[in-house]
Amino acid sequence: MQADLMFVIGLVVLALAVPAVVGAIFEGRTPTTVALLVLIGGGLVGVAVYQRPGFYSISTVPDVFVRVVGQYLN
């Protein structure tokens, strides 16, 4: 799997974890699913950053996201 694809999938999984953690906190549940989502998403982002050190930053996230989505939609 390409580093850019892992990075984007990891960011999407981490974004999905945010509403799950908010729901778990407000409903008083233990956030076990949230912990799994954070581990998977964080692991994918970590591997991508490890494979391409210094490439990913806050300013490059939109470019990487658009490039990966465009690559798989075309």
Side-chain angles (χ1 to χ4, degrees):
M1 192 184 295
Q2 296 175 346
D4 290 345
L5 180 61
M6 285 191 292
F7 186 75
V8 169
I9 291 173
L11 287 180
V12 169
V13 170
L14 287 174
L16 291 174
V18 172
V21 75
V22 171
I25 289 172
F26 283 134
E27 293 177 4
R29 299 182 276 122
T30 55
T32 54
T33 305
V34 174
L36 183 64
L37 285 174
V38 169
L39 284 174
I40 292 170
L44 286 171
V45 170
V47 168
V49 169
Y50 179 75
Q51 287 183 354
R52 296 180 79 178
F55 181 75
Y56 300 109
S57 66
I58 298 296
S59 62
T60 62
V61 170
D63 295 333
V64 172
F65 196 89
V66 168
R67 184 178 33 205
V68 168
V69 171
Q71 178 182 359
Y72 287 98
L73 287 181
N74 258 341

